[in-house]
């Protein structure tokens, strides 16, 4: 008899999603985590000053309410997810700002001459946002469940992912808003992958909102671990795994690691053809992060921006595209794209009374070791004069620092793999079941697998479902709901 039914390596959102699913199926599950605290890219810690709680990597969670896994898991009933007055905002230099409310009509009404065009672009996706989440939450090699929606989504991706992206617009504001969200993909734009990511995330912004977990992103991890333990599973921390053969005996191994790590863990046990596929898997450009402890809210020049949980900085669509092209060419931008989260808009527990926190990242070339504190501060000051005067302390992590914290972030690539068209089809291999490896009972579930990056648990959920069918012969999916 094996010591466990399943061993999971990595206690990030995907590893824990796999563990929860397997434990709910009645299997004996253990999770090994190299760090002293579970969570991977979903942790919260005091990074600047005592009493100021910062999200170590991910901060705002558009898919916490939309992910099919989290909806099955009923995450919104397990933790306190607060919705800010606006999902995101995008200020321009002239004082105007695009504000993405959960009401699409209200958003469009404030966009001036392009309001109608923006609404027409987004409405079919907003009205079917849950189906959009299912469409984008699986491998692209499967026949879509709703082909008409898939066609509408695809046509919009072709428009916004090509030089035709400005065809329907006459002003700067609406295109800037769309580009601010599309830039989450960390690639040159326009491109189909940035457009797909941007349109899906924007649909969720207007449909369900972009929630912020009270207390920090760690709350998501804690809820998953609580459920795992309640169903007989366990987590072992400070346990770095360097060889699959060193793991306890089990019928299945689920790896929340990159393809590169799988090559190291498996040694020469992998078939040569599969090894070459993993070796050819490409990693993308990187992020660098800065956290701030503040004496006051960020003093945005446009007052409407102050209600948004997320703020995209970089100016117009053309300016953001130029900044992302610079990074793609291997250089640091002088006017970089910056993504801001201001969680204390809805969560006063993140800082002492009257104080605030701000989370920020910018894009840099892979492997960058250059501190981005000044570049980020200058971009915030550009749209929020007086910001420097509110800073009590800051904490910076370069791209290399992010890799040292989490080996899945190779070169600082927080997506664990370039989000190119090829690598969305082939993530990490071309297969309708890309989570399954050629090794008997071994599965891959990190962001390097379909459907890609994000705190949504879908990679782990899909990998666990594959393991249930193929290794354990279990066809019926376990009930993940509270009380089941």
């Amino acid at each position: 008899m094996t010591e466990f039914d399943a061993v999971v390596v990595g206690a990030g959102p995907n590893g824990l999603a796999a563990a929860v699913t397997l434990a709910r199926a009645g299997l004996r599950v253990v999770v090994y985590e190299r760090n002293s605290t579970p969570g991977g890219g979903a942790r919260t810690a005091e990074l600047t000053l005592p009493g100021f709680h910062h999200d170590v990597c991910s901060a705002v969670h558009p898919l916490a309410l939309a992910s099919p896994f989290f909806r099955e898991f009923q995450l919104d009933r397990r933790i306190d997810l607060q919705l800010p007055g606006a999902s995101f905002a995008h200020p321009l230099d002239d004082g105007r700002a695009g504000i993405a409310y959960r009401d699409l009509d209200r958003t469009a009404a404030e966009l001036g001459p392009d309001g109608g065009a923006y609404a027409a672009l987004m409405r079919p996706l907003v009205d079917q946002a849950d189906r959009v989440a299912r469409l984008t939450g699986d491998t692209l090699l499967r026949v879509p469940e709703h082909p008409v929606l898939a066609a509408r989504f695809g046509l919009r991706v072709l428009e916004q992912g090509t030089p035709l992206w400005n065809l329907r617009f006459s002003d700067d504001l609406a295109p800037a808003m769309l580009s601010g969200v599309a830039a989450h993909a960390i690639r040159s734009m326009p491109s189909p992958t940035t457009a797909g990511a941007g349109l899906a995330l924007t649909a969720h912004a207007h449909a369900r909102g972009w929630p912020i977990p009270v207390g920090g992103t760690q709350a998501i991890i804690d809820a998953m671990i609580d459920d795992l333990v309640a169903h007989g599973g366990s987590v072992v921390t400070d346990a770095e795994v360097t060889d699959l053969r060193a793991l306890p005996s089990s019928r299945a191994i689920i790896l929340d690691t990159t393809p590169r790590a799988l090559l190291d863990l498996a040694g020469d046990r992998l078939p040569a053809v599969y090894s070459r596929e993993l070796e050819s898997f490409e990693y993308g450009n990187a992020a660098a992060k800065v956290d701030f402890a503040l004496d006051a809210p960020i003093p945005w020049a446009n007052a409407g921006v102050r209600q948004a949980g997320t703020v995209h900085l970089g100016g117009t669509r053309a300016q953001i595209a130029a900044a992302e092209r610079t990074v793609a060419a291997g250089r640091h931008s002088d006017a970089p794209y910056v993504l801001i989260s201001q969680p204390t808009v809805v969560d006063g527990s993140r800082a002492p009374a009257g104080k605030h926190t701000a989370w920020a990242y910018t894009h840099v070339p892979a492997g960058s070791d250059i501190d981005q504190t000044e570049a980020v501060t200058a971009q915030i000051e550009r749209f929020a004069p007086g910001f420097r005067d509110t800073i009590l302390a800051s904490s910076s992590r370069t791209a290399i620092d992010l890799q040292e914290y989490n080996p899945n972030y190779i070169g600082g690539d927080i997506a664990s793999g370039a989000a190119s068209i090829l690598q969305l089809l082939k993530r990490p291999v071309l297969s309708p079941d890309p989570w399954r490896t050629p090794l008997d009972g071994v599965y891959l579930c990190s962001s390097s697998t379909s459907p890609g990056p994000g705190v949504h648990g879908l990679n782990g959920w899909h990998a666990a479902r594959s393991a249930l069918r193929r290794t354990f012969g279990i066809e019926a999916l376990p009930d993940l709901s509270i009380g089941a």
Side-chain angles (χ1 to χ4, degrees):
M1 181 178 178
T2 58
E3 190 172 348
F4 296 97
D5 293 312
V7 174
V8 177
V9 177
N14 287 314
L16 290 174
V20 164
T21 304
L22 295 170
R24 285 296 194 109
L27 303 177
R28 295 165 298 140
V29 182
V30 64
V31 181
Y32 287 92
E33 167 57 43
R34 69 185 290 272
N35 288 325
S36 57
T37 305
R43 287 185 55 235
T44 305
E46 294 181 333
L47 300 179
T48 54
L49 296 172
F52 289 82
H53 300 277
H54 304 273
D55 288 321
V56 175
C57 295
S58 58
V60 180
H61 299 282
L63 291 168
L65 297 174
S67 158
F69 168 75
F70 280 141
R71 294 187 68 191
E72 291 284 335
F73 187 65
Q74 297 180 329
L75 181 66
D76 61 334
R77 293 180 55 191
R78 298 172 186 265
I79 67 174
D80 187 358
L81 292 166
Q82 288 294 313
L83 292 168
S87 296
F88 67 86
H90 192 116
L92 296 181
D93 289 305
D94 61 9
R96 293 180 299 151
I99 311 294
Y101 304 103
R102 292 193 303 280
D103 183 333
L104 177 60
D105 290 328
R106 181 183 177 189
T107 301
E110 296 183 8
L111 286 177
D114 284 336
Y118 180 89
L121 176 72
M122 294 306 308
R123 192 173 305 282
L125 308 184
V126 173
D127 289 348
Q128 299 191 70
D130 291 342
R131 289 181 174 179
V132 169
R134 291 196 293 274
L135 173 68
T136 58
D138 203 346
T139 172
L140 297 182
L141 294 180
R142 293 185 182 170
V143 176
E145 182 181 0
H146 300 284
V148 174
L149 172 64
R152 287 175 173 168
F153 184 76
L155 288 172
R156 283 160 171 77
V157 167
L158 288 176
E159 174 195 320
Q160 290 300 305
T162 67
L164 298 175
W165 62 344
N166 285 322
L167 196 61
R168 70 170 70 216
F169 299 118
S170 61
D171 192 27
D172 285 339
L173 194 52
M177 284 182 68
L178 293 167
S179 291
V181 185
H184 286 227
I186 319 182
R187 290 189 65 80
S188 290
M189 57 179 71
S191 78
T193 52
T194 58
L199 289 167
L201 290 173
T202 302
H204 300 324
H206 296 305
R208 290 182 174 269
W210 289 5
I212 294 174
V214 170
T217 293
Q218 188 76 46
I220 297 175
I221 297 301
D222 292 345
M224 297 172 78
I225 291 176
D226 287 347
D227 191 85
L228 172 64
V229 172
H231 289 84
S234 60
V235 178
V236 180
T237 57
D238 296 308
E240 184 166 10
V241 177
T242 58
D243 191 322
L244 293 182
R245 288 168 289 200
L247 293 170
S249 61
S250 66
R251 294 179 63 190
I253 297 172
I254 317 292
L255 301 172
D256 188 0
T257 67
T258 63
R260 187 177 297 182
L262 172 56
L263 286 166
D264 292 336
L265 291 168
D268 59 2
R269 297 169 59 197
L270 290 169
V273 172
Y274 187 79
S275 292
R276 285 195 294 271
E277 289 291 316
L278 298 188
E279 288 167 355
S280 69
F281 188 78
E282 295 183 356
Y283 299 90
N285 280 307
K289 184 169 175 287
V290 185
D291 290 282
F292 297 96
L294 305 176
D295 193 38
I298 299 176
W300 300 108
N302 185 300
V305 179
R306 300 175 191 179
Q307 66 185 305
T310 300
V311 184
H312 302 129
L313 304 180
T316 65
R317 165 170 272 182
Q319 290 170 328
I320 292 173
E324 295 299 276
R325 283 196 301 270
T326 298
V327 172
R331 304 189 305 274
H332 292 79
S333 173
D334 293 331
Y337 167 81
V338 174
L339 191 153
I340 306 290
S341 168
Q342 38 189 16
T344 38
V345 167
V346 293
D347 182 9
S349 72
R350 302 289 188 99
K355 310 302 181 184
H356 294 265
T357 64
W359 173 107
Y361 84 60
T362 187
H363 298 159
V364 295
S368 170
D369 61 356
I370 298 176
D371 188 307
Q372 293 297 301
T373 302
E374 177 52 33
V376 168
T377 302
Q379 277 293 67
I380 301 175
E381 183 81 17
R382 172 181 167 186
F383 300 100
F387 170 68
R388 291 180 188 274
D389 297 333
T390 70
I391 300 173
L392 297 172
S394 65
S395 172
S396 172
R397 286 191 175 185
T398 67
I400 289 300
D401 292 335
L402 290 176
Q403 176 180 297
E404 290 178 358
Y405 163 72
N406 187 340
N408 281 4
Y409 299 158
I410 293 175
D413 174 10
I414 58 176
S416 298
S420 64
I421 282 289
L422 177 60
Q423 288 202 166
L424 290 181
L425 289 168
K426 177 186 169 186
R427 199 165 183 95
V429 295
L430 194 65
S431 168
D433 188 354
W435 310 279
R436 185 188 185 194
T437 79
L439 295 181
D440 185 34
V442 178
Y443 299 83
L444 198 61
C445 76
S446 71
S447 293
S448 301
T449 65
S450 293
V455 179
H456 44 60
L458 291 169
N459 314 62
W461 192 42
H462 288 311
R465 292 165 68 184
S466 179
L468 288 173
R469 290 193 309 272
R470 297 181 181 279
T471 297
F472 298 100
I474 299 174
E475 293 291 337
L477 296 180
D479 188 342
L480 303 180
S481 63
I482 297 172

